[in-house]
Amino acid sequence: MKYEDFYRQIQLREEKPNLKNEQIAKKVLLELSKKKLPYPITKNFSESLLYNYFYLKGTEYEKGFIELLNLYNFNYSMSIHNSIYYLLATNKEHVDYIDPLKWPGIFDINKYNSKYVLKSILGEIEVYKASEHFSNTNSEYIFDKKLMGECYERTYDFIKENQDYQVILAYMPNFFCGGNYHVYLEKKNHILDIASNALYFSKESSDKIFKGTEIEKLSYSQIEKKFGLIKRRIPRINDKQKLLTLTLYYDHKNYKN
């Protein structure tokens, strides 16, 4: 695999499919816009679609909205995953204007001590706030960093401190079409999705969220060894993007096969 192939892999598996995903979101919006929409349509069609749903949830228009989403095979796992991002956000990253209850597929959210239970279209999902679970540990400092959108960096930070975990390199589906790369952690039967500050002790719950393709599973020593081999062959590779590099490398390898 050459240096340029890493960028082509992102174009092939993220950028081009995302354009198709946005076109489907645009189609849904155009159907909806036959009636007056409460939120303006911007060039970010997926975002415009979601904000319109947030405004219309709980109104007489919600049923028709859901029927249209279902017609276009809307991915509820992705929606619920996003809800969890905002539900469990740290104080630094909390966003007041995005309500976790408003996402498509979410019916109710309850908290029982340290456990959150989401009632959803996919069934009940149990999840814990990871930053609370790992407070007063050697990993506490990681949760003071930016988590949202930083899955590669924070996951690497964590496995470096906790080498009894493994990293799962994955390809997660978009709302309608294609997908995006994502990495998270596994130890025995529990999943730590550090970018969403989420800890799942129930495999039944985590399986409802992580419905993408598992590209590879690696230990810390395997990450260091494999990245070292790639770095020797391609010195220009960024040292700070080890998990992204490995995700692209293994997906390229699997995709070709």
Side-chain angles (χ1 to χ4, degrees):
M1 193 172 180
K2 299 176 182 177
Y3 182 77
E4 293 76 15
D5 290 331
F6 287 92
Y7 293 94
R8 292 194 192 101
Q9 191 68 15
I10 290 176
Q11 287 181 325
L12 176 68
R13 298 281 273 154
E14 286 195 334
E15 293 176 5
K16 289 182 179 178
N18 282 346
L19 289 173
K20 292 181 181 178
N21 184 73
E22 285 297 289
Q23 288 305 307
I24 296 172
K26 182 180 179 181
K27 285 182 182 179
V28 177
L29 281 167
L30 291 174
E31 287 287 329
L32 290 166
S33 66
K34 292 173 182 177
K35 297 179 181 179
K36 189 175 180 181
L37 291 172
Y39 186 85
I41 298 175
T42 67
K43 290 183 179 179
N44 188 331
F45 298 115
S46 291
E47 183 180 89
S48 299
L49 184 70
L50 289 166
Y51 276 116
N52 274 292
Y53 182 81
F54 296 163
Y55 276 104
L56 295 172
K57 187 168 184 176
T59 72
E60 60 185 301
Y61 301 106
E62 183 186 4
K63 183 180 177 182
F65 205 132
I66 289 291
E67 288 174 352
L68 196 54
L69 291 179
N70 292 341
L71 183 65
Y72 284 89
N73 299 311
F74 183 79
N75 178 17
Y76 287 101
S77 291
M78 174 69 161
S79 178
I80 296 165
H81 194 194
N82 275 277
S83 170
I84 290 169
Y85 263 77
Y86 292 97
L87 174 68
L88 303 181
T90 61
N91 291 336
K92 284 182 179 180
E93 298 188 305
H94 179 72
V95 179
D96 287 329
Y97 59 86
I98 297 182
D99 184 348
L101 274 168
K102 292 287 189 181
W103 289 81
I106 296 288
F107 301 145
D108 198 12
I109 301 174
N110 292 292
K111 189 173 186 288
Y112 302 95
N113 297 319
S114 60
K115 178 172 69 176
Y116 293 83
V117 178
L118 291 79
K119 292 183 179 179
S120 79
I121 196 169
L122 302 178
E124 285 196 352
I125 296 166
E126 298 179 358
V127 64
Y128 296 77
K129 187 175 278 192
S131 55
E132 292 179 0
H133 183 83
F134 290 101
S135 64
N136 301 316
T137 71
N138 64 340
S139 304
E140 183 177 21
Y141 75 96
I142 298 168
F143 295 89
D144 289 330
K145 298 182 179 183
K146 187 175 186 296
L147 301 183
M148 287 186 177
E150 301 293 337
C151 68
Y152 305 111
E153 287 81 0
R154 297 296 84 81
T155 298
Y156 181 77
D157 289 343
F158 188 89
I159 199 171
K160 192 174 180 181
E161 296 279 7
N162 302 272
Q163 296 180 25
D164 50 343
Y165 279 76
Q166 288 184 300
V167 169
I168 296 176
L169 314 176
Y171 186 72
M172 301 281 282
N174 286 330
F175 290 118
F176 298 106
C177 174
N180 286 279
Y181 293 118
H182 186 54
V183 297
Y184 51 97
L185 296 129
E186 180 184 63
K187 180 183 175 182
K188 294 180 180 177
N189 291 322
H190 73 260
I191 294 290
L192 170 59
D193 184 19
I194 201 163
S196 62
N197 196 23
L199 183 60
Y200 301 85
F201 289 111
S202 162
K203 190 173 186 302
E204 184 181 354
S205 291
S206 60
D207 282 350
K208 291 169 184 171
I209 301 298
F210 300 98
K211 288 185 172 290
T213 303
E214 185 177 305
I215 297 168
E216 192 63 63
K217 189 184 294 186
L218 299 170
S219 66
Y220 177 72
S221 60
Q222 288 172 322
I223 290 166
E224 294 299 293
K225 182 179 179 180
K226 190 63 188 180
F227 182 81
L229 292 171
I230 294 170
K231 182 72 175 177
R232 281 195 286 275
R233 283 166 41 201
I234 312 173
R236 287 190 290 167
I237 289 292
N238 190 339
D239 289 333
K240 294 182 179 180
Q241 293 285 349
K242 289 184 179 181
L243 293 183
L244 173 58
T245 297
L246 291 172
T247 301
L248 296 172
Y249 171 82
Y250 281 108
D251 195 42
H252 177 79
K253 184 179 176 183
N254 296 341
Y255 202 77
K256 284 179 71 175
N257 294 336

